[in-house]
Amino acid sequence: MVTVNLNEKPTEANSSSHRPPMKDVVVVHDEEDGQTLGCLSTAGNVSGTPGKYKVTSVRKKKQTIDPDETPVVVKKKKNTKKGNYPAVDDDYDYDHDEEIKSRRRQNMAFFCMCTSFIILLVMGTFYGLWRHYHKDSSPNVDASGGGNTPGSSPIVPGFPPTENAGSGEPAMSPDSPDNMAGPTGTLYPTASPTTQAPSSQPTSNYIDPLMEFLQDNQVYFGKDPKSPSFMAVQWLAEEANERGFMPYNDSAKLLQRFAILAVDYALERPMKPDRSQSSLRIKAQEDFTYFTKVYTIGVKHVDECEWAGVICHNVTGVATELRFGNSFLAGSIGPEIRLLKELKILDLGQNMLRGRIPEELYDLVKLEELYLYQNQFTGTLSPRMNNWWNMTRFHASHNALTGSLAEALSAFKSGADVIRPIEYLNLYSNQLTGTIPRSLRFRMLTYLDLGRNQLNGTLPDDLGDTFVELRHLFLDHNQLSGTVPYSYMTVGNGRLESLSLDHNKLTGWVPDNYEYLNKMNQINLQGNLFEGIGKKICKMSVFEEGELVELTTDCGICDCYQLCASSCGEIVL
């Protein structure tokens, strides 16, 4: 131990002064590390290991401590960080340093947890994609959830197995398409569908049993890849192939699923704007592994009652409504519509559908509401409209329907003992010809629009007696002739609100028994050959005793100043 004595006693002059005594200040260095350990003030000796510490300088410093304090021994204190030796400092806050280290450890643990979570998420995503595109081959299970039977496919009611049970041999292939045509012949679409990328999964495994199942239910068609019926079969086969078994244990449910798909394919629903699929054109092959198809509302492995526009009964799961209005459909109504026998509402309005109204549509005897307006339908209305005994609303305006209105409505009229529940009948803007039949007896009808057709003949004179609930009658823009029957003023038991007879060839005087027209608010009579209008009609005005706000007539036949005299044919108040 080497001791350096740096003690210096104060002089008498210093003792008598008011200044504090001077102390020796020693600067100590570590000769091995070359690091300054600090400055020590002492009144005694500085002890250290010989050759380890070296006193490099001594300077005076003003101190207030006791000059007789004990010697200070300098010791080297090791730091845990990188093995350095910090300066000797009695005021160093070691607790703060430990707090910083603790925070660093917590941050590092949190970073490790986040990194592990991200790695697991990426691994799970890749594994899911791998499972989707490389499905494991597993034994089939039957549709009812029973046990597995290696080497055989499940048997669904009406379905033969696709392989011989236990042998692994494929079943007999079905007859050729020419031999499969049934009584109604092979069904083909009216136009080529737009194409969409097919699935990479083969579909031939389940096509044959599906085709045989449909034949058992009197549905016949060939294996034309562009046929809506066969596209529906391929869709179902593809769905079954993804699961590895036929997922249907209810033949009625399967038939309904097929019918909705086939009808939707025939309607030619436009494809969704998907750039990855819009440019693909896949040519159908003989093995039917790949096939062309248009976009459909069908969603695989989802019940058809949950598809867009399909509404089913809450308990039975039977489809009761198809609502495909305003969907840019450009195809036609497929004959598979007849399979939806419980359908009550069919809405195909505001599309671009073409072709004839299929005869199969008249087989839906439970149909209550049918909307075909604003399309491009052609052909005639079949007398089989007589089957629609539950129809309440039939709207087929703005089409190109032709044929005799009398033939269609005569079959549709009420029977001797049964009144049809029809409430709304709109055939406006078609090309219907013939006369308006008598004795229709639509006693519940409130709205009748036969305007803008090619109807001729006289106005039926029994409307006032048989159309007791009528509120709106539109017969404008036809070729009707004769006079206006007096009973027209009593149509709807005096509750008629709108009457349009304009742009015909009507003659005579317009009846003015206004006491039966206390609810009338619109009358259109211009464009005819009338001789005049009864003066009592003026009292129907809102300015007097009635509710009439619109009266349009030809010039010179109306004396009602406030209704028609001042404007002559273009009065709207």
Side-chain angles (χ1 to χ4, degrees):
M1 194 45 95
V2 177
T3 304
V4 181
N5 190 354
L6 298 177
N7 185 31
E8 181 176 311
K9 294 182 179 181
T11 60
E12 292 180 1
N14 293 336
S15 301
S16 60
S17 66
H18 296 285
R19 298 176 59 184
M22 302 298 294
K23 295 280 295 185
D24 292 338
V25 178
V26 181
V27 180
V28 183
H29 285 267
D30 189 339
E31 292 182 345
E32 292 181 359
D33 300 336
Q35 181 179 4
T36 302
L37 299 180
C39 299
L40 304 177
S41 61
T42 180
N45 298 326
V46 176
S47 299
T49 305
K52 180 64 177 176
Y53 301 106
K54 178 181 178 180
V55 178
T56 59
S57 63
V58 178
R59 66 176 178 270
K60 295 295 184 178
K61 184 177 180 181
K62 191 177 353 179
Q63 299 288 345
T64 58
I65 62 176
D66 187 2
D68 297 328
E69 63 182 351
T70 57
V72 177
V73 179
V74 178
K75 296 183 180 179
K76 184 175 181 180
K77 190 170 184 178
K78 186 174 180 179
N79 190 3
T80 57
K81 183 177 181 182
K82 297 184 180 180
N84 295 331
Y85 296 91
V88 177
D89 188 356
D90 293 339
D91 296 332
Y92 185 78
D93 191 354
Y94 292 100
D95 294 337
H96 180 67
D97 186 38
E98 290 297 329
E99 183 179 354
I100 295 176
K101 293 178 181 179
S102 176
R103 290 180 180 176
R104 289 177 179 175
R105 287 193 295 268
Q106 293 177 0
N107 293 340
M108 182 60 68
F110 179 75
F111 174 77
C112 292
M113 291 175 60
C114 294
T115 304
S116 301
F117 175 77
I118 294 175
I119 292 175
L120 291 175
L121 182 62
V122 173
M123 291 177 63
T125 302
F126 277 103
Y127 178 74
L129 293 175
W130 182 86
R131 288 280 297 176
H132 179 72
Y133 292 103
H134 302 82
K135 294 184 179 297
D136 298 334
S137 57
S138 57
N140 296 331
V141 295
D142 60 18
S144 60
N148 297 334
T149 306
S152 64
S153 297
I155 299 178
V156 182
F159 276 73
T162 57
E163 296 179 356
N164 295 332
S167 63
E169 299 179 359
M172 294 291 292
S173 59
D175 298 335
S176 63
D178 295 336
N179 296 330
M180 291 173 56
T184 58
T186 303
L187 306 177
Y188 297 96
T190 57
S192 300
T194 56
T195 56
Q196 182 180 1
S199 171
S200 60
Q201 300 291 338
T203 60
S204 58
N205 294 341
Y206 296 94
I207 286 180
D208 295 343
L210 283 166
M211 295 288 288
E212 186 168 345
F213 165 77
L214 293 173
Q215 292 179 38
D216 293 340
N217 288 273
Q218 306 301 314
V219 181
Y220 303 97
F221 53 89
K223 289 185 177 180
D224 179 6
K226 295 182 180 180
S227 167
S229 298
F230 190 62
M231 283 193 286
V233 169
Q234 292 174 107
W235 192 96
L236 293 171
E238 184 184 50
E239 181 186 39
N241 189 75
E242 290 181 359
R243 290 195 177 187
F245 63 94
M246 194 69 68
Y248 312 105
N249 57 1
D250 187 349
S251 58
K253 195 75 171 175
L254 175 58
L255 191 63
Q256 173 176 280
R257 195 174 184 87
F258 162 79
I260 295 176
L261 284 170
V263 168
D264 193 54
Y265 276 129
L267 295 175
E268 294 187 13
R269 188 178 299 274
M271 188 183 301
K272 282 185 175 181
D274 189 346
R275 293 183 179 179
S276 64
Q277 298 177 355
S278 60
S279 62
L280 296 179
R281 297 293 182 269
I282 306 301
K283 184 177 181 180
Q285 300 180 359
E286 293 182 357
D287 60 357
F288 307 112
T289 300
Y290 301 99
F291 54 91
T292 59
K293 63 181 180 181
V294 293
Y295 173 69
T296 177
I297 59 169
V299 181
K300 292 183 175 66
H301 317 303
V302 175
D303 191 280
E304 64 272 12
C305 295
E306 299 181 16
W307 294 350
V310 180
I311 301 177
C312 299
H313 191 275
N314 294 332
V315 178
T316 62
V318 176
T320 58
E321 300 180 25
L322 293 183
R323 296 185 178 272
F324 298 153
N326 195 20
S327 300
F328 303 98
L329 306 177
S332 58
I333 302 176
E336 293 79 11
I337 192 71
R338 68 179 177 85
L339 300 176
L340 303 175
K341 298 181 179 181
E342 300 295 325
L343 203 62
K344 295 182 178 180
I345 299 177
L346 177 60
D347 184 2
L348 300 175
Q350 294 181 297
N351 287 291
M352 297 172 287
L353 299 175
R354 57 191 182 275
R356 302 173 63 90
I357 297 177
E359 290 292 320
E360 290 79 3
L361 189 59
Y362 300 105
D363 293 333
L364 303 180
V365 296
K366 296 185 178 181
L367 203 59
E368 297 178 359
E369 299 180 19
L370 178 59
Y371 302 98
L372 304 177
Y373 62 98
Q374 294 186 20
N375 281 286
Q376 302 172 19
F377 288 114
T378 58
T380 61
L381 293 172
S382 173
R384 297 185 62 196
M385 290 176 61
N386 182 54
N387 295 334
W388 292 339
W389 277 103
N390 295 297
M391 185 70 70
T392 60
R393 303 179 69 86
F394 180 36
H395 191 176
S397 68
H398 296 88
N399 282 285
L401 298 175
T402 59
S404 173
L405 176 68
E407 293 182 5
L409 293 187
S410 294
F412 191 62
K413 66 181 180 180
S414 299
D417 300 323
V418 181
I419 302 299
R420 288 188 181 273
I422 185 71
E423 299 175 359
Y424 182 95
L425 179 58
N426 192 340
L427 297 174
Y428 177 80
S429 187
N430 280 280
Q431 301 175 20
L432 300 173
T433 59
T435 60
I436 301 175
R438 300 179 72 256
S439 305
L440 291 177
R441 299 184 67 228
F442 293 156
R443 302 186 67 85
M444 300 182 67
L445 191 68
T446 60
Y447 188 102
L448 176 61
D449 192 346
L450 302 177
R452 288 194 179 273
N453 281 282
Q454 301 175 16
L455 302 178
N456 53 32
T458 60
L459 297 174
D461 55 4
D462 62 345
L463 288 182
D465 299 327
T466 59
F467 289 50
V468 295
E469 296 292 335
L470 197 62
R471 298 291 179 271
H472 307 277
L473 176 61
F474 302 94
L475 303 176
D476 56 284
H477 293 86
N478 282 287
Q479 301 175 19
L480 300 173
S481 59
T483 60
V484 178
Y486 191 82
S487 63
Y488 274 49
M489 298 300 115
T490 62
V491 170
N493 290 327
R495 292 189 292 269
L496 190 66
E497 299 177 10
S498 302
L499 175 64
S500 292
L501 301 176
D502 55 286
H503 295 92
N504 281 284
K505 298 179 180 180
L506 299 174
T507 59
W509 283 77
V510 179
D512 61 352
N513 48 342
Y514 74 94
E515 60 270 15
Y516 296 105
L517 301 173
N518 54 348
K519 298 294 183 182
M520 185 77 74
N521 53 54
Q522 176 188 3
I523 300 179
N524 297 323
L525 302 173
Q526 75 275 18
N528 283 284
L529 304 174
F530 290 123
E531 298 179 7
I533 298 177
K535 294 183 179 180
K536 292 183 179 180
I537 290 182
C538 299
K539 295 183 178 181
M540 297 164 51
S541 169
V542 292
F543 301 105
E544 296 194 27
E545 301 177 10
E547 298 182 9
L548 185 64
V549 296
E550 178 179 341
L551 174 62
T552 59
T553 67
D554 297 318
C555 296
I557 63 172
C558 179
D559 295 333
C560 304
Y561 175 78
Q562 292 177 314
L563 282 176
C564 57
S566 60
S567 299
C568 187
E570 296 181 357
I571 300 298
V572 178
L573 299 178

